[in-house]
Structures are given as C-alpha cells and as structure tokens.
C-alpha cells in the first residue's frame, strides 16, 4: 500500500518541520515539501495536524497468566486498542514460573502474539537461576532478538528475584550486551506488611497502598541501581511511582551511572484516593503494583520527565475484569494486580503534558516513542519520521476532543482508570506498517498483521565499558 500524508507538520524528538511523508511497502520513502502523489496512492490530508512517530508502549502484559487467572486482553484486542490511540508497537513480557525454561516460555508468548495487529517485541523475565538460565539468556540474545531481561523484586513466593538472581542475571546481561530491567519493590517488606494489615482486619483495597509504601519502592530501586553500579551494567527501572525511586535514579544519573526510568501515564494522573472508594469494584479496579500514590508524588514524576531523569512513558497494561478482581473480595492480597491504559496513554499525556505546558511537542514524541526506541536499540527503524524508518505513524489532531469512557473504548475490560476525563488532542489517523488502520474513529485491522521486532544487543557499547574498566584496574607490581 502506498500512502501520502500531505500538508502536515512533522514532529520528531529533535526537530519540527513542515513536510509531506510518503510511505510505500511499509517503509517511509520520502519526507519533504511538495511530494506528488504516486499513481494509486491513498492521500491523507494532514492540514493543521502533526505527523509523529507511532507510539511505543514499552510495558504491557497481554494474555498474561497471573495470580491464578489470565488477563482479559489478548494480543489481538490489546494491539488493536493501542492503534486506536496512536500506539503502533508494544514491548510485552515473557515471564517464566520458577524453574520453567526460558526458551519454552518465550516460544509460548511468541505463539500467543501471532494474532497481534501491530508490531511487538518481548522482554524476558529472569525469575530463577541455574546454568540453564545462563545458557538460555545467550540463546535469546543471539538467536531471538531479545536485548532486555526483566527482574521482579516483588511477589515473594512466586516470581520474585532475590539478590543472588539479580547479581547473576545482571552480570550475564553485561556479557551479552543486554539491559536488565527491574520492577523495584522490596518483596520481603511487602509480604510482611500485607500479613500485618490483614491480621489487623484491613482486608479491602484500601490496604493495598498501605502494604506497598513508597519507601519499599525507593529501597528496591536504590538496591538494583547499586548492584548495577558495582557490575558496571546499565539498568532500566520500570513504572516509577514515587519520589523515592525517582531520587535514587536522579542521584545515580548525576554520578554518571547509566540508569533509565519509566513512568506510567496512570501514576502521573491518578492519586491514591481511588483505593478508598466505597464501591469495592471501583476501588479494586485500580489495584496495581506499585499502587497509585498521593498527589505530591505525581508532581515529582512530572518533574522527572521534564528534567530527563525519566525517559519513557508506558501503561503496564494488564486488564482484569470485575469478576476476576472479586477473587480478593475478602482479602486484598488476592486481588489480581493490573489496570489498562494502552488506548489512552498518548491522549492523556498530550492533554496534561503538551496542553498544560509541561512538555513540548518534541519532548512528547521523545517520551512516548523515540526514547524507548533508542533505549531498546530499534532506533531509527522505530521512533522516527525519517527515510528508511518503518511506516509506523500517527497523524495527530491537536483540536480534536473526546471524553474517555469504558463505554466507547476498544480495550477489552469493563472499566477505564481515566473514566470521564476530557482530553484535547487525539489521533485522527494511525498508520501501521504503511497501512491506515485507524481513521475517522474506525479501526481497520488485520489479525496477525503485526510482526515481531528483533532488538539487537548493545555489544559495541558494552565492550567499551569493559575496556574502560580494565584500563582503570590497578596493574599488579612484580617484586
């Protein structure tokens, strides 16, 4: 399919220019003014609109088996919902149970993802350690285009990685040119607090944030960062929700350490009062980890984005219906953790970021697309409106308005954490692999049209780090 986007303003992370964009065979062929429409091309009138790289959500959980159930959103419905909001790629997670083979797990997730309508890739979690894990990490990097490994410092008794796992996996990541990513919460402390609160009779959703205070997150983030510092490996901290973790990241970056931070759209905009809602279903719908925090943390996180100490925005899209959430009706510890957001991330960030003067348009592109592409080594193929890049684009109407509602969403769940929020600025068109998949409020997607995206390792950068470390090492003196 040939598509010409005519008359718009191209917004990349580094510059803004008036230009047409010609896409053919899934690739951007030309960017410039006055491009003529080839015979048979579909022309999109982008007058008065912005043409930007399609969004990349680096943190989703489609079709995830978790806490005794499976998320309602599969790879078909989830990637379709993303396209409706301008997100053209997700990076999901293949998560093995303890003692489960990493390759087997990865191949299962690849099979589930074959129905995707937009491009996708995978982080692979390391939840245990032995020689087979060491070997499988190498196979995943070398043969399957995986360059990031996830570590859960929470969920004791299930998928929690202790310090021994972190040290071994971080070291192996350095050898392979991969980047470790971390869910930073002190699992031991959370387990203890959950038990104490439940025994005191606090059994509802209001106990969830009390069992996971900001200090638990800050401690874990700092510990992961300091382990990475000793091992000289870059590290990526996912879904930062509080000042404490942001401070740990900022401190390390100021010291010259390679640390990257992610923030969820929900953590920027929703506060912890949701857990005190008198209706169980409403409160439980917001149960996720880390939990939503008080308003002071939200302002700090915005400052983190503005300063560049947080580089990416995500959703941790992980949907459970009311019936599944009700598994924890009498015990908050059993409420499946997760909320949605893949459809609305870019809308709410534009409205509350660009629209309120917190972010420039270029910074918006950086935190919704380009930075993720660079950190996970798929730039400029993704995250850029440039010749040779994949034709994953969003035409953004800054004047369009909508009221977010579960009644009109494409996400496969009966609630929306942004319910009733009015936003200005929405996708008028989404182009995925050169095909117009969202236009005039209608999806036109093909099951299985999405493709797996290989992410090569950072071998050259890591080799340089190791050479630097060797050069700095003291030379033994023979006597």
């Amino acid at each position: 399919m040939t598509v010409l986007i005519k008359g718009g303003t191209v917004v990349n992370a580094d510059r803004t220019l008036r230009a047409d964009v010609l896409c053919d065979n899934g690739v951007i062929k030309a960017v410039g003014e006055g491009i003529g429409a080839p015979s048979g091309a579909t022309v999109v009138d982008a007058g008065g609109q912005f043409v930007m790289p399609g969004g990349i959500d680096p943190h989703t959980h489609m079709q995830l088996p978790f806490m005794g159930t499976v998320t309602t959103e599969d790879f078909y419905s989830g990637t379709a919902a993303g396209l409706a909001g301008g997100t053209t790629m997700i990076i999901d997670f293949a998560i093995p149970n303890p003692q489960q083979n990493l390759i087997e797990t990865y191949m299962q997730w690849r099979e589930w993802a074959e129905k995707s309508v937009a491009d996708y890739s995978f982080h692979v979690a390391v939840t245990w350690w032995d020689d087979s894990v060491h070997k499988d990490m190498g196979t995943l990097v070398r043969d399957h285009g995986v360059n990031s490994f996830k570590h859960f410092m929470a969920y004791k008794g299930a998928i929690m990685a202790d310090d021994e796992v972190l040290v071994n996996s971080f070291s192996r990541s350095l050898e392979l040119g991969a980047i470790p990513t971390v869910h930073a919460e002190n699992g031991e402390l959370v387990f203890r607090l959950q038990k104490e609160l439940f025994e005191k009779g606090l059994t509802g959703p209001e106990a969830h944030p009390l069992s996971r205070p900001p200090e638990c997150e800050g401690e874990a983030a700092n510990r992961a960062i300091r382990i990475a510092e000793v091992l000289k490996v870059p590290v990526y901290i996912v879904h930062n929700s509080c000042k404490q973790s942001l401070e740990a990241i900022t401190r390390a970056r100021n010291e010259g350490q390679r640390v990257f931070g992610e923030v969820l759209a929900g953590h920027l905009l929703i506060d912890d009062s949701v857990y005190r809602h008198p209706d169980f279903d409403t409160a439980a719908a917001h149960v996720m980890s880390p939990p939503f925090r008080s308003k002071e943390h939200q302002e700090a996180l915005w400052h983190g984005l503005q300063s560049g100490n947080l580089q990416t925005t995500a959703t941790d899209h992980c949907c459970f219906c009311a019936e599944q959430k009700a598994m924890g009706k009498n015990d908050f510890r059993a409420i499946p953790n997760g909320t949605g957001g893949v459809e609305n991330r870019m809308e709410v960030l534009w409205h509350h970021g660009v629209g309120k003067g917190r972010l420039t348009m270029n910074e918006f592109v950086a935190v919704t697309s380009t930075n993720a592409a660079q950190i996970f080594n798929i730039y400029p193929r993704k995250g850029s409106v440039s010749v040779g890049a994949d034709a994953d684009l969003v035409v953004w109407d800054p004047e369009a308005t909508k009221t977010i509602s579960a009644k009109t969403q494409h996400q496969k769940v009966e609630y929306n954490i942004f319910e009733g929020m009015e936003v200005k600025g929405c996708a008028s068109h989404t182009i995925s692999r050169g095909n117009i998949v969202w236009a005039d409020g209608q999806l036109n997607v093909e099951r299985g049209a999405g493709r797996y995206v290989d992410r090569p390792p950072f071998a050259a950068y890591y080799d340089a780090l190791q050479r630097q470390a060797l050069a700095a090492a003291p030379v033994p003196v023979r006597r």
Side-chain angles (χ1 to χ4, degrees):
M1 184 177 189
T2 302
V3 175
L4 176 63
I5 305 171
K6 193 81 174 167
T9 299
V10 170
V11 183
N12 276 313
D14 60 343
R15 61 176 179 153
T16 303
L17 67 155
R18 290 296 299 273
D20 305 329
V21 181
L22 178 65
C23 309
D24 185 57
N25 198 28
V27 176
I28 297 174
K29 295 295 187 179
V31 179
E33 291 192 82
I35 298 175
S39 176
T42 299
V43 178
V44 174
D45 181 3
Q49 300 185 70
F50 302 115
V51 183
M52 303 184 290
I56 300 171
D57 190 335
H59 191 153
T60 66
H61 295 287
M62 310 299 180
Q63 208 164 326
L64 172 68
F66 188 55
M67 295 182 72
T69 187
V70 180
T71 55
T72 58
E73 197 88 87
D74 64 17
F75 282 91
Y76 173 79
S77 63
T79 51
L83 291 173
T87 289
T88 55
M89 180 180 172
I90 62 169
I91 309 181
D92 209 89
F93 294 81
I95 306 174
N97 294 316
Q99 309 309 311
Q100 185 177 8
N101 179 268
L102 266 66
I103 303 295
E104 172 190 306
T105 302
Y106 168 81
M107 296 309 294
Q108 176 65 79
W109 254 267
R110 283 292 302 268
E111 181 182 331
W112 289 338
E114 287 178 358
K115 62 178 79 71
S116 296
V117 301
D119 285 2
Y120 58 93
S121 194
F122 289 105
H123 313 281
V124 177
V126 176
T127 56
W128 62 293
W129 192 262
D130 73 358
D131 289 344
S132 73
V133 177
H134 181 277
K135 178 182 177 182
D136 288 348
M137 288 176 70
T139 301
L140 287 165
V141 172
R142 183 181 63 251
D143 299 337
H144 297 288
V146 173
N147 70 6
S148 53
F149 293 95
K150 174 70 175 290
H151 306 82
F152 293 89
M153 298 175 76
Y155 305 117
K156 177 179 169 64
I159 55 176
M160 187 177 92
D162 61 19
D163 284 1
E164 180 182 5
V165 171
L166 296 180
V167 169
N168 282 313
S169 182
F170 282 25
S171 298
R172 182 59 168 152
S173 294
L174 178 62
E175 293 172 358
L176 296 169
I179 185 168
T181 78
V182 173
H183 172 142
E185 287 184 295
N186 186 309
E188 292 289 347
L189 276 173
V190 170
F191 182 81
R192 180 187 181 95
L193 292 171
Q194 285 179 325
K195 183 174 182 293
E196 290 179 352
L197 288 163
F198 185 78
E199 289 175 350
K200 289 177 181 177
L202 289 170
T203 62
E206 71 279 1
H208 177 68
L210 299 176
S211 70
R212 312 178 96 94
E215 292 78 10
C216 286
E217 185 179 342
E219 184 282 327
N222 188 67
R223 178 158 39 103
I225 288 167
R226 292 311 171 189
I227 290 172
E229 178 187 25
V230 171
L231 298 174
K232 295 182 172 55
V233 61
V235 65
Y236 179 97
I237 311 297
V238 308
H239 55 39
N240 293 274
S241 73
C242 64
K243 293 190 299 183
Q244 286 84 342
S245 61
L246 173 59
E247 287 166 354
I249 291 170
T250 303
R251 183 167 55 249
R253 289 176 61 84
N254 287 342
E255 294 169 355
Q257 194 176 345
R258 292 287 185 182
V259 182
F260 304 101
E262 167 193 287
V263 63
L264 306 186
H267 282 135
L268 288 165
L269 298 169
I270 297 169
D271 67 72
D272 58 358
S273 63
V274 293
Y275 299 115
R276 299 186 292 276
H277 196 284
D279 177 63
F280 171 84
D281 289 342
T282 301
H286 293 83
V287 168
M288 64 171 297
S289 296
F292 298 115
R293 306 292 190 189
S294 60
K295 292 183 183 297
E296 62 178 313
H297 295 285
Q298 293 172 23
E299 199 57 35
L301 295 172
W302 278 112
H303 292 162
L305 272 184
Q306 292 168 319
S307 66
N309 287 310
L310 297 176
Q311 296 79 33
T312 64
T313 59
T315 59
D316 197 359
H317 187 85
C318 186
C319 295
F320 297 100
C321 67
E323 182 179 352
Q324 292 170 304
K325 293 281 189 175
M327 294 165 57
K329 185 80 173 180
N330 300 310
D331 184 350
F332 72 93
R333 299 171 296 182
I335 300 172
N337 282 211
T339 62
V342 72
E343 184 171 354
N344 307 119
R345 174 182 66 120
M346 294 184 67
E347 298 164 346
V348 299
L349 286 169
W350 179 275
H351 180 87
H352 292 278
V354 179
K356 295 190 176 181
R358 291 180 170 119
L359 301 173
T360 67
M361 292 190 299
N362 306 93
E363 289 169 339
F364 171 84
V365 169
V367 302
T368 59
S369 182
T370 305
N371 289 349
Q374 292 176 337
I375 291 168
F376 295 109
N377 209 19
I378 49 176
Y379 180 85
R381 176 183 175 184
K382 304 289 187 184
S384 174
V385 183
S386 59
V387 175
D390 286 356
D392 285 359
L393 302 163
V394 59
V395 180
W396 197 262
D397 185 351
E399 298 301 319
T401 60
K402 68 181 285 188
T403 300
I404 297 172
S405 173
K407 294 178 181 178
T408 55
Q409 70 184 7
H410 298 83
Q411 296 173 152
K412 195 176 177 182
V413 67
E414 70 268 61
Y415 62 87
N416 190 306
I417 59 172
F418 304 115
E419 184 70 37
M421 184 180 291
E422 296 182 3
V423 293
K424 184 177 181 181
C426 304
S428 67
H429 297 75
T430 305
I431 293 91
S432 175
R433 288 190 164 267
N435 297 302
I436 300 172
V437 292
W438 170 259
D440 302 319
Q442 298 296 318
L443 274 169
N444 181 24
V445 297
E446 178 185 349
R447 190 181 186 89
R451 295 291 182 267
Y452 177 77
V453 176
D454 283 318
R455 294 176 293 121
F458 299 88
Y461 171 69
Y462 279 37
D463 286 348
L465 277 181
Q466 290 176 319
R467 288 195 299 272
Q468 182 181 5
L470 288 172
V475 178
V477 178
R478 296 178 184 270
R479 297 184 183 279

